[in-house]
């Protein structure tokens, strides 16, 4: 096919520059041979970060696996919006079994491929934060512990969206959900201990763990491609804004994904065998308030009497991430 | 074929290995353990290959791994029992709904609370509506044979198959079995050609959401497939006989039912004891027979009706209890007999490993012959113990934990059993 200059150009994101780059370093998404693994026509909400993240990730995985890819998918928005019978958006072999067993289903697929001598076929398991950090946690940990040859991707939109925005263990403190309403003396979700899945994955010493957001396409694709090339258990945790569940504007999906990283609330990094190997530095630090204000799930923090103390606590979480991961330091940038 | 004396679990493990499974996943629970331990060793030593043996972190994962493996075109096997079967229930239904021909041994065991490791049929009976085919083995030989039939049956219909064998009574019993040769099994069981498979060269989506517009049809087809199994099971048993030169499987197995006035219906290993009692009673002139049900799902309504309709009464002896109504098997038997003036009595026996003795059966079946059995009988129920407990509850609101109180009343006997 003759070379066509890419005309696509997005402002305010790190995807900028595709058309300025050499073709070989352009993103998979900018490639006209991209597989559109999650094809158009699905029923995600406008601006759905999960749909975007899944398309980026699976196209990159298809690219890296030479199109020899099988995916298992947990119940959740991604599953429901992509496969309303008799339609499917998936251009890859794809299996939905249950909400809480996706990692184990993928283990089974990988075992079948091993038994059949198909080392070329790569296996992905994917699900939302609920399917990953809560109900699917046991199967996920088992898959990690056995070091099964599976890449697990969690699309984290910080709540059970498919059932109507209920709290999951990935829901941040103070956030309004249908089960953590902004009422009473401590409105919104509690300040719990958190359940940091990437860190828990690292504690399993698996070969590869990474976090990413839909705001940095190159970084996300790089991590997926790298993971596909590694044998053993891999985990990628992708931060995916949900306009509907968060009460955010559809056009702010990328912006929120950028702000969550630039504030320090969501550290973006890679780890191999339990050790952090690279960190995406904050380019232009922003206060958490800039991030929180764009979402109605935090609106109660900015009422007539702003919840200064609560906002400060959230800022402290971001500051702690910045210290812990060296998000501002020179020389740690991947 | 070679005769060998071995444990039931070992026999089943060897039979499964002869079926060339490609993925085996296991989570330990008594009395299933010896089966998967033996298979694990065969895979690890290289004796069974190519095959992946996965030690999973729960039964839910075991069934889920089997689902993934089967959907990817591998012949998949697992085994469980009791609490383990309940722990995997969501995935058990899912495997059936997806039409994945996984074979699973259920080493039948009671369900708690109170926790109890001994045999009854409560576990697999709880899954009677899940869409799996359920076959019950009477002997170790049959357990071995049914596994070979199960893979072929399931793969032919694209349905999962549960082979139920009595925990301990069969799994841990040493018996002589005819172990088939690899050639025989290969002649009977062709390689697995899935109807649907996850293949990068021909991508399909499996497990889509279905709404009211087609859900009934999808469920109807699940039922229709089981009706097909009613035809296929006897055919396969006949073919099995040709290759292996013995009778195994089929839908039902009548024994001395010809002119019987009383026919006892039962499943599994207890059939052996009942047959002994029937022989002894026949010798005394009683017209009595037994009907063994091999295929519980699909339930062979016509075959059961045929076998029973000439009798004067039917006694269903079952190792499970539908709390709040009585029997499970007997409900199905009554349906098979609907319209016939044939009184059917339910006997709940052998719960949690309670021995079903010949003496108790003699007494029971003599009562049956006299039409003295009540609608629902609990064999060897200790009435005094029940009375004591009921009295205690009546006298004292905070009478304490039920199981513990009863055990204290039983005293040394319980200690001896444990
Ligand atoms: C065993 C079980 N429990 C509950 C549900 C209901 N359920 C389906 S999807 C879902 C929420 C999914 O949340 P998440 O995994 O975060 O994915 P999202 O929809 O947010 O992308 C829930 C609770 C289910 N399908 N199965
Ligand atoms: S509810 Fe959220 S996650 Fe679900 S489709 Fe809509 S935007 Fe996407
Ligand atoms: Mg979610």
């Amino acid at each position: 096919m003759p070379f066509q200059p890419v005309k696509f150009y997005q402002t305010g994101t790190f995807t900028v520059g595709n058309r300025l780059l050499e073709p070989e370093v352009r993103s998979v998404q900018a490639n006209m041979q991209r597989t559109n693994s999650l094809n158009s026509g699905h029923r995600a909400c406008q601006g759905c970060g999960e749909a975007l993240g899944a398309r980026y990730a699976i196209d990159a995985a298809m690219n890296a696996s030479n199109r020899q890819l099988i995916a298992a998918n947990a119940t959740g928005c991604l599953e429901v919006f992509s496969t309303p019978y008799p339609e499917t958006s998936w251009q890859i072999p794809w299996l939905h079994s249950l909400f809480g067993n996706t990692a184990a289903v993928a283990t089974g697929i990988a075992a079948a491929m091993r038994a059949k001598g198909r080392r070329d076929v790569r296996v992905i398991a994917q699900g939302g934060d609920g399917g990953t950090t809560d109900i699917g946690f046991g199967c996920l940990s088992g898959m990690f512990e056995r070091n099964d040859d599976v890449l697990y991707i969690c699309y984290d939109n910080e709540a059970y969206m498919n059932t109507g925005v209920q709290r999951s263990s990935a829901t941040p403190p103070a956030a309004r959900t249908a089960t953590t309403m902004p009422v009473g003396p401590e409105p919104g979700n509690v300040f719990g201990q958190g359940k940091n899945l990437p860190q828990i994955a690292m504690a399993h010493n698996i070969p590869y763990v990474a976090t990413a957001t839909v705001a940095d396409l190159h970084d996300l694709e790089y991590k997926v491609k790298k993971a596909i090339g590694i044998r053993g258990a891999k985990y990628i945790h992708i931060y995916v804004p949900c306009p509907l569940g968060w009460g955010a504007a559809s056009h702010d999906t990328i912006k929120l994904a950028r702000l969550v990283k630039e504030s320090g609330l969501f550290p973006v990094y890679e780890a191999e065998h339990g050790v952090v190997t690279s960190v995406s530095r904050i380019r232009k630090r922003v206060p958490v308030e800039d991030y929180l204000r764009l979402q109605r799930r935090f609106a109660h923090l900015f009422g007539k009497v702003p919840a200064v103390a609560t906002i400060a606590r959230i800022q402290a979480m971001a500051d702690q991430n910045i210290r812990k991961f060296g998000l501002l330091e020179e020389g740690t940038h991947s | 074929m070679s005769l060998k004396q071995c444990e039931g679990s070992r026999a089943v493990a060897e039979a499964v290995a002869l079926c060339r499974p490609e993925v085996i996943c296991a989570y330990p629970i008594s009395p299933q353990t010896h089966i998967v331990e033996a298979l694990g060793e065969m895979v690890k030593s290289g004796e069974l290959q190519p095959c992946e043996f996965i030690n999973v972190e729960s039964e839910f994962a075991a069934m889920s791994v089997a689902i993934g493996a089967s959907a990817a075109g591998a012949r998949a096997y697992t085994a469980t029992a009791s609490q383990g079967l309940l722990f995997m229930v969501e995935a058990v239904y899912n495997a059936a709904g997806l039409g994945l021909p996984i074979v699973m041994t259920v080493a039948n065991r009671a369900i708690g609370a109170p926790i109890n490791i001994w045999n009854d049929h409560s576990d697999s009976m709880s899954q009677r509506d899940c869409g799996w085919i359920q076959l019950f083995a009477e002997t170790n030989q049959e357990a071995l044979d049914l596994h070979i039939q199960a893979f072929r049956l399931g793969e032919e219909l694209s349905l999962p198959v549960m082979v139920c064998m009595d925990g301990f009574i069969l799994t841990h019993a040493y018996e002589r079995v005819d172990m088939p040769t690899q050639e025989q099994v290969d002649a009977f069981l062709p390689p697995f050609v899935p109807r649907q498979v996850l293949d990068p060269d021909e991508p399909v989506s499996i497990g889509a959401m279905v709404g009211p517009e087609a859900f009934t049809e999808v469920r109807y087809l699940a039922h229709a497939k089981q009706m097909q199994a009613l035809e296929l099971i006897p055919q396969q048993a006949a073919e099995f006989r040709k290759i292996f030169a013995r009778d195994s499987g089929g839908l039902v197995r009548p024994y001395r039912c010809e002119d019987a006035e009383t026919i006892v219906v039962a499943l599994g290993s207890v059939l052996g004891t009942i047959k002994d009692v029937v022989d002894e009673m026949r010798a005394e002139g009683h017209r009595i027979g037994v009907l063994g049900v091999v295929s519980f799902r699909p339930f062979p309504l016509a075959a059961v009706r045929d076998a029973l309709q000439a009798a004067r009464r039917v006694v269903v002896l079952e190792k499970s209890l539908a709390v709040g109504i009585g029997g499970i098997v007997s409900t199905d038997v009554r349906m098979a007999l609907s319209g016939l003036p044939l009184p059917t009595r339910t006997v709940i026996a052998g719960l949690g490993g309670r021995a079903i003795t010949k003496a108790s059966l003699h007494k029971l079946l003599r009562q049956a012959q006299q039409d003295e059995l009540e609608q629902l009988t609990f064999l060897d129920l200790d009435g005094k113990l029940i009375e004591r407990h009921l009295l205690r509850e009546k006298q004292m609101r905070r009478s304490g934990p039920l199981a513990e109180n009863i055990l204290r009343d039983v005293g040394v006997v319980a200690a001896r059993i444990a």
Side-chain angles (χ1 to χ4, degrees):
Chain A
M1 194 184 283
F3 173 69
Q4 289 254 322
V6 174
K7 302 203 174 67
F8 179 67
Y9 194 93
Q10 260 180 318
T11 51
T13 81
F14 302 151
T15 62
V16 66
N18 272 332
R19 68 170 188 175
L20 306 175
L21 293 171
E22 293 301 316
E24 56 273 17
V25 286
R26 286 182 187 173
S27 67
V28 174
Q29 284 303 308
N31 186 331
M32 282 179 306
Q33 264 93 54
R34 78 165 189 226
T35 41
N36 287 323
S37 309
L38 176 64
N39 219 345
S40 56
H42 59 67
R43 297 170 189 193
C45 308
Q46 198 176 36
C48 173
E50 188 162 279
L52 198 60
R55 198 185 78 206
Y56 287 176
I58 304 301
D59 277 349
M62 280 288 269
N63 178 286
S65 68
N66 201 20
R67 305 193 175 199
Q68 297 301 303
L69 191 70
I70 300 178
N73 206 126
T75 312
C77 268
L78 179 60
E79 168 259 327
V80 171
F81 74 60
S82 64
T83 55
Y85 180 88
E87 295 159 10
T88 177
S89 280
W90 295 101
Q91 308 294 306
I92 57 169
W94 178 94
L95 171 65
H96 163 243
S97 171
L98 295 169
F99 189 22
N101 70 350
T102 314
V105 170
T107 290
I109 298 170
M113 291 303 116
R114 244 185 349 264
K116 291 177 182 298
R118 291 291 307 268
R119 267 181 72 84
D120 56 323
V121 177
R122 313 302 289 138
V123 181
I124 282 186
Q126 54 182 356
D129 49 289
T132 305
T133 68
D134 287 336
I135 201 166
F137 185 67
C139 287
L140 181 64
S141 175
M143 188 275 276
F144 286 162
E145 177 273 322
R146 292 183 302 267
N147 201 23
D148 295 329
D149 192 12
V150 170
L151 164 58
Y152 191 103
I153 301 178
C154 169
Y155 301 103
D156 181 6
N157 52 23
E158 303 191 324
Y160 293 110
M161 294 314 176
N162 188 53
T163 33
V165 199
Q166 295 85 12
R167 174 199 190 270
S168 80
S169 60
T171 300
R176 176 206 70 194
T177 68
T179 50
T180 56
M181 291 305 272
V183 293
E186 286 179 47
N189 191 26
V190 291
F191 278 80
Q193 296 305 304
K195 190 168 180 181
N196 193 319
L197 238 289
Q199 299 269 292
I200 295 171
M202 281 170 64
H204 289 75
N205 272 324
I206 57 174
Y208 189 67
V209 174
T211 63
T213 77
V214 284
D216 192 341
L217 173 60
H218 276 283
D219 179 69
L220 192 161
E221 288 186 348
Y222 153 78
K223 286 168 176 170
V224 171
K225 288 204 240 172
K226 181 167 172 178
I228 287 292
I230 296 171
R231 298 275 156 190
K234 288 85 57 178
Y235 179 75
I236 300 184
H237 192 103
I238 306 180
Y239 176 89
V240 292
C242 165
L244 183 114
W246 297 4
S250 295
H251 59 251
D252 277 343
T253 292
I254 301 293
K255 187 175 184 182
L256 282 167
R258 180 161 48 81
L259 291 175
V260 82
K261 183 215 158 192
E262 296 294 279
S263 64
L265 274 176
F266 185 81
V268 176
Y269 60 94
E270 287 180 288
E272 293 177 29
H273 299 288
V275 179
V276 174
T277 51
S278 85
V279 171
S280 293
R281 265 190 318 132
I282 290 173
R283 299 189 182 198
K284 187 166 161 281
R285 189 177 180 181
V286 295
V288 295
E289 211 177 308
D290 289 13
Y291 165 74
L292 300 173
R293 272 188 186 278
L294 292 174
Q295 308 169 55
R296 281 203 303 282
R297 63 175 171 159
F298 295 113
H300 56 278
L301 302 181
F302 303 100
K304 279 198 197 97
V305 188
V308 183
T310 307
I311 298 168
R313 278 182 90 176
I314 298 173
Q315 184 63 53
M317 289 166 56
D319 295 346
Q320 199 199 0
N321 280 338
I322 290 171
R323 280 194 305 278
K324 180 172 172 186
F325 290 94
L327 298 177
L328 289 173
E329 287 158 28
E330 294 287 342
T332 49
H333 181 211
S334 68
Chain B
M1 197 147 344
S2 67
L3 290 181
K4 66 193 283 184
Q5 180 81 12
C6 71
E7 199 192 34
S9 297
R10 177 81 209 176
V12 165
E14 289 189 18
V16 169
L18 288 171
C19 294
R20 304 184 186 278
E22 292 166 290
V23 176
I24 297 172
C25 24
Y27 190 83
I29 182 165
S30 298
Q32 149 267 32
T33 43
H34 294 182
I35 302 172
V36 291
E37 286 165 7
L39 282 163
E41 192 179 345
M42 287 183 227
V43 174
K44 204 158 169 47
S45 69
E47 191 186 325
L48 172 56
Q49 60 176 347
C51 182
E52 297 291 321
F53 185 87
I54 318 243
N55 282 299
V56 286
E57 72 286 349
S58 74
E59 286 88 356
F60 179 61
M63 186 45 62
S64 302
V65 168
I67 286 170
S70 185
R75 188 170 278 165
Y77 170 82
T78 190
T80 193
S82 182
Q83 315 299 135
L85 183 62
L86 294 198
F87 200 81
M88 64 164 71
V89 166
E90 197 194 6
V92 169
Y93 272 74
N94 192 251
L98 291 171
L100 299 173
I102 298 159
V103 170
M104 171 162 68
T105 311
V106 175
N108 287 114
R109 165 182 155 180
I111 287 172
I115 188 163
N116 174 303
I117 66 164
W118 307 107
N119 166 248
D120 68 32
H121 292 168
S122 309
D123 49 5
S124 51
M125 285 295 160
S126 78
Q127 297 307 298
R128 64 190 179 276
D129 302 328
C130 71
W132 286 56
I133 287 171
Q134 289 191 337
L135 308 174
F136 278 78
E138 181 180 335
T139 61
N140 285 355
Q141 182 69 60
E142 190 167 48
L144 180 170
D145 294 344
L146 284 179
H147 281 85
I148 300 167
Q149 296 188 21
F151 280 106
R152 175 157 158 191
L153 181 66
E155 288 169 13
E156 179 60 32
L157 292 167
S158 218
L159 270 189
V161 184
M162 235 177 251
V163 181
C164 306
M165 65 189 290
D166 285 315
F168 294 111
I169 299 170
L170 294 183
T171 56
H172 288 54
Y174 279 72
E175 271 185 5
R176 204 192 60 173
V177 291
D178 271 3
M179 188 58 67
T181 62
Q182 186 67 63
E183 292 69 40
Q184 285 175 311
V185 176
D186 288 347
F188 181 78
L189 177 64
F192 173 33
V193 182
R195 292 192 185 223
Q196 46 170 2
V197 67
L198 296 166
D199 176 0
D201 295 329
E202 275 180 66
V204 286
S205 300
I206 305 177
M209 189 164 198
V210 177
E213 69 284 354
F215 200 78
T216 306
E217 285 68 24
V218 171
R219 298 311 298 154
Y220 173 81
L221 286 168
H223 181 66
K225 268 197 199 175
Q226 290 234 348
M227 295 303 101
Q228 285 175 26
L230 283 178
E231 318 250 305
L232 216 58
I233 290 170
Q235 282 171 24
Q236 289 204 350
E239 282 183 51
F240 189 88
R241 188 184 316 113
K242 269 192 222 145
I243 296 176
F244 300 85
R246 63 174 168 270
D247 282 321
S248 256
L251 296 171
V252 294
R253 192 139 341 107
Y255 179 79
R256 305 191 81 169
C257 286
E258 308 78 47
D259 59 343
E261 292 175 341
T262 304
I263 299 181
V264 187
V265 180
L267 288 71
S269 63
V270 72
L271 284 165
T273 319
I274 300 173
K275 284 179 188 170
D276 287 350
V277 173
V278 162
D279 286 343
E280 289 164 13
M281 289 179 70
R282 279 270 178 187
E284 294 169 26
H286 294 277
R287 282 159 60 187
I288 185 163
V290 200
L291 181 70
V293 176
V294 183
S295 168
F296 183 64
R297 284 294 178 271
F299 191 77
L301 289 172
V304 169
R305 189 183 175 95
D306 272 1
L308 298 179
Q309 60 186 352
R312 294 231 332 248
R313 63 186 76 79
V314 172
V315 177
V316 182
L317 185 128
E318 47 183 312
K319 291 183 172 185
S320 52
L321 169 65
V323 182
I325 173 160
I328 296 174
V329 183
S330 30
T331 306
D332 295 2
V333 170
R334 284 195 186 95
M335 181 161 171
L337 299 177
S338 57
L340 297 177
L342 236 183
T344 302
R345 299 285 178 249
T346 303
V347 178
I348 309 292
L351 296 187
R354 170 78 49 98
I356 302 175
T357 63
K358 282 202 326 191
S360 298
L361 286 178
H362 267 292
K363 203 169 134 208
L364 177 92
L365 296 179
R366 271 160 226 271
Q367 275 178 295
Q369 288 280 68
Q370 307 295 316
D371 286 319
E372 283 168 6
L373 273 191
E374 292 183 18
Q375 182 82 10
L376 176 64
T377 304
F378 287 76
L379 189 68
D380 294 337
L381 183 74
D382 186 339
K384 285 209 190 84
L385 216 53
I386 305 284
E387 270 168 36
R388 253 171 102 171
H389 183 79
L390 292 178
L391 186 67
R392 183 164 46 226
E393 283 200 334
K394 207 166 154 190
Q395 286 170 342
M396 210 191 326
R397 167 106 208 129
R398 271 207 173 186
S399 53
L402 181 153
E404 287 71 3
N405 281 338
I406 289 208
L407 279 183
R408 198 177 308 118
D409 292 345
V410 173
V412 286
V413 182
R416 237 191 293 134
I417 291 170

